Amino acid sequence: MSPSASPTTWLVSGTSRGIGFEIVKQLLESPNNLVLAGCRTPEKATALHGLKDGAKGTLHVIQLDVANVDSVRAVPKAIAPILGESGLDHLINNAGMGKEDTPLTLDPDVFIETVWTNTLGPALLTQACISFLDKGKEKKVINISSTLGSVASAHQFDHLGPGGAASYSISKAALNMFTYKLKLERPDLTAITMCPGWVKTDMGTQAADLEPAESVASILKVITSVTAADSGKYLSHKGTVIPW
Ligand SMILES: NC(=O)c1ccc[n+]([C@@H]2O[C@H](COP(=O)([O-])OP(=O)(O)OC[C@H]3O[C@@H](n4cnc5c(N)ncnc54)[C@H](OP(=O)(O)O)[C@@H]3O)[C@@H](O)[C@H]2O)c1
């Protein structure tokens, strides 16, 4: 990037490990990218800080717990001096969690934690970033959802047991609706909800189909190719439409 050119800017949540970590890693391969990596416990995120070594792009690690309202509301103050006159081009709401449960066994505290992290967190982070997205060149909000949030696909997950991953699936279906409502409220944004595929991470387990590098390379291709005409879509990591 020439010194005068403004960078392409990204804020990604949940970057200490898994898919979020890999997104940051791949983004840093380009000198054009400035990445704000949100992380719950930066002092423990050794691998994330280590990505600065040999990075072509620019990395800033910021404290961000998406299930803590004060932490999310502190984001504008943290990112304003880093972004300066640049807006935010891409917000990737990636942080997520899930525990085993079913409709008839779900625990109220786990349900609230799951919906807070996977649905309310992305909503509040989008609110916190909106003035920066307004100034951005791309204005893209990418919500990392799951095919488990698809009512039409729910029967495909028999291996989870009847009704398995109930709180998680509900939280992702709600995230999908948040994405669609955001598209309706702000047609000038490109709001996409995406499934990364079944990926080998702590959440996906080593039994999963995809290496993080493969999933993330596809995700980034989709993110860079979508336009406002695609806003509101529910897409796989390959860019195919997932039925609601
Ligand atoms: N892996 C899959 O097969 C798969 C499939 C479909 C969808 N997804 C979705 O993809 C996203 C990433 O999943 P993953 O597989 O990478 O999961 P993962 O390996 O379990 O990593 C989860 C990441 O989210 C962070 N996180 C959790 N709660 C947080 C909070 N309250 N605030 C900030 N960060 C938080 C974790 O940080 P800590 O280290 O601090 O805990 C970690 O960095 C999630 O939204 C998940 O639902 C994954």
Side-chain angles (χ1 to χ4, degrees), residues 13-20 39-41 64-68 93-97 117-118 144-147 168 172 195-204 208:
S13 67
T15 60
S16 61
R17 54 196 168 92
I19 294 168
C39 162
R40 204 159 26 173
T41 323
L64 175 57
D65 180 343
V66 300
N68 179 306
N93 281 303
N94 164 76
M97 51 93 44
T117 305
N118 295 354
I144 303 298
S145 179
S146 167
T147 307
Y168 179 82
K172 294 298 192 181
C195 177
W198 188 21
V199 188
K200 291 181 178 154
T201 63
D202 293 339
M203 181 184 286

Side-chain angles (χ1 to χ4, degrees), residues 97-101 110 113-114 165-168:
M97 51 93 44
K99 293 189 180 154
E100 288 301 312
D101 61 9
V110 171
E113 183 191 3
T114 308
S167 297
Y168 179 82

Side-chain angles (χ1 to χ4, degrees), residues 63-81:
Q63 197 284 329
L64 175 57
D65 180 343
V66 300
N68 179 306
V69 175
D70 291 339
S71 173
V72 176
R73 289 194 176 147
V75 164
K77 212 172 161 188
I79 67 174

Side-chain angles (χ1 to χ4, degrees), residues 2-237:
S2 73
S4 57
S6 70
T8 301
T9 57
W10 305 74
L11 195 160
V12 188
S13 67
T15 60
S16 61
R17 54 196 168 92
I19 294 168
F21 177 85
E22 183 65 30
I23 291 173
V24 175
K25 187 176 169 203
Q26 293 194 19
L27 288 175
L28 290 176
E29 288 168 10
S30 166
N32 291 326
N33 287 330
L34 183 152
V35 185
L36 304 160
C39 162
R40 204 159 26 173
T41 323
E43 61 278 16
K44 288 189 185 158
T46 314
L48 181 62
H49 289 289
L51 289 178
K52 280 185 183 158
D53 300 335
K56 294 189 181 131
T58 308
L59 171 64
H60 295 268
V61 176
I62 60 166
Q63 197 284 329
L64 175 57
D65 180 343
V66 300
N68 179 306
V69 175
D70 291 339
S71 173
V72 176
R73 289 194 176 147
V75 164
K77 212 172 161 188
I79 67 174
I82 301 170
L83 290 175
E85 289 307 304
S86 303
L88 182 63
D89 295 316
H90 308 86
L91 168 62
I92 305 183
N93 281 303
N94 164 76
M97 51 93 44
K99 293 189 180 154
E100 288 301 312
D101 61 9
T102 69
L104 297 180
T105 62
L106 64 81
D107 171 84
D109 292 336
V110 171
F111 181 85
I112 297 289
E113 183 191 3
T114 308
V115 173
W116 199 305
T117 305
N118 295 354
T119 316
L120 183 58
L124 295 182
L125 186 57
T126 305
Q127 289 181 6
C129 292
I130 196 69
S131 62
F132 300 94
L133 287 161
D134 283 339
K135 280 173 63 184
K137 302 180 291 285
E138 300 286 343
K139 304 185 199 310
K140 292 183 181 176
V141 178
I142 309 298
N143 294 323
I144 303 298
S145 179
S146 167
T147 307
L148 278 161
S150 162
V151 175
S153 310
H155 62 281
Q156 292 173 10
F157 295 95
D158 281 353
H159 60 282
L160 296 172
S167 297
Y168 179 82
S169 304
I170 292 165
S171 73
K172 294 298 192 181
L175 179 64
N176 292 346
M177 182 60 90
F178 168 75
T179 311
Y180 201 82
K181 288 286 183 182
L182 180 64
K183 160 229 159 63
L184 294 175
E185 185 178 13
R186 289 294 305 270
D188 57 318
L189 300 177
T190 301
I192 301 288
T193 186
M194 279 191 87
C195 177
W198 188 21
V199 188
K200 291 181 178 154
T201 63
D202 293 339
M203 181 184 286
T205 78
Q206 289 308 303
D209 294 330
L210 297 169
E211 293 297 335
E214 192 183 351
S215 163
V216 167
S218 299
I219 288 171
L220 291 178
K221 262 189 209 154
V222 174
I223 293 176
T224 46
S225 65
V226 289
T227 68
D230 299 302
S231 196
K233 286 185 179 169
Y234 182 16
L235 299 176
S236 74
H237 67 288

